[in-house]
Amino acid sequence: MSDETRSNTTAADQTEAAAAGAPTPDAAPAETASPDPTEQLRAEHAEMKDRLLRTLAEMENLRRRTEKEIKDAREYAITAFARDLLGVSDNLTRAVGALPAEARAAAEAAVTSLIEGVELTGRELAKAMEKHGVRRIEPMGGRFDPNLHQAMFEIPNAEVPSGTVLQVLQDGYVLGDRVLRPALVGVAKGGPKAPAAPAEPAGVDRTV
């Protein structure tokens, strides 16, 4: 085969390959754009920063919840014990109140000493309970509050606003900011309407 024939054949082959889409021997491969390393680092830095901030926020929330649980455990751990002591306090109060003033005045020295001892025990018990966060509710003469009081009956009285506490049947107590036992009260009825009380007073929790 002559050089001219070989050249013509080669040119024809290249033309057919180009038409078929195949790269010719002289064609250079297309360059692929590589990602920018700086942008990759920035993206990774932003992702790591976001993860770190989320982790820090979760740890802070966990710390606050743990502190609150520890505080509540310390403050309200005596709830059942304190509620049992209320019965003891009630009995001491009833024991002193069962003796009429005339009988006490005419009582012998031994009986008087016994009564004074019961009263002293009641005061010491009240101090001990208050020391541990148990406080007595003072509802007499105030406005009825369903969060702190339990109405047992109504007393007709047009001279005071309706809903005023006129009688206390049983003292109520709170432990910290939670109601340990509501006060049992009798409230006035028939007087002028008292201002509406808030649905839930600040700092009072009924979950004890």
Side-chain angles (χ1 to χ4, degrees):
M1 179 181 294
S2 64
D3 293 340
E4 182 179 355
T5 303
R6 186 181 296 108
S7 176
N8 292 336
T9 302
T10 303
D13 292 341
Q14 291 178 350
T15 302
E16 292 178 359
T24 62
D26 297 335
E31 295 184 358
T32 303
S34 61
D36 186 355
T38 303
E39 292 299 326
Q40 283 186 328
L41 290 175
R42 288 177 180 174
E44 292 176 0
H45 175 267
E47 183 180 357
M48 294 300 295
K49 182 179 179 180
D50 181 68
R51 289 182 180 180
L52 176 60
L53 292 177
R54 290 176 182 272
T55 301
L56 290 176
E58 291 176 359
M59 293 300 295
E60 179 64 17
N61 291 335
L62 177 61
R63 183 187 65 81
R64 291 178 179 177
R65 288 196 302 268
T66 302
E67 287 182 352
K68 184 178 185 303
E69 290 173 357
I70 293 175
K71 179 178 177 295
D72 290 347
R74 290 175 177 173
E75 187 171 359
Y76 303 113
I78 64 169
T79 296
F81 178 67
R83 189 176 286 116
D84 290 340
L85 285 182
L86 297 183
V88 178
S89 178
D90 292 341
N91 289 333
L92 291 175
T93 301
R94 294 190 191 99
V96 175
L99 185 66
E102 299 81 7
R104 179 170 181 173
E108 298 180 356
V111 177
T112 301
S113 297
L114 176 61
I115 296 172
E116 292 175 352
V118 173
E119 291 176 336
L120 178 61
T121 302
R123 290 194 295 269
E124 289 296 324
L125 178 59
K127 289 181 181 178
M129 290 192 299
E130 187 172 356
K131 179 181 178 181
H132 292 280
V134 180
R135 295 176 290 105
R136 187 164 65 92
I137 298 173
E138 301 286 352
M140 191 65 183
R143 184 175 57 187
F144 174 76
D145 186 344
N147 299 297
L148 301 174
H149 315 141
Q150 181 177 343
M152 305 303 294
F153 53 83
E154 293 179 323
I155 304 173
N157 190 328
E159 298 180 359
V160 296
S162 293
T164 301
V165 177
L166 297 181
Q167 187 174 347
V168 179
L169 283 71
Q170 180 176 271
D171 291 332
Y173 290 86
V174 294
L175 174 59
D177 59 355
R178 299 181 181 180
V179 176
L180 188 62
R181 185 181 76 182
L184 304 183
V185 300
V187 297
K189 176 184 179 182
K193 186 177 181 180
E200 185 74 22
V204 174
D205 192 338
R206 297 300 302 271
T207 58
V208 169

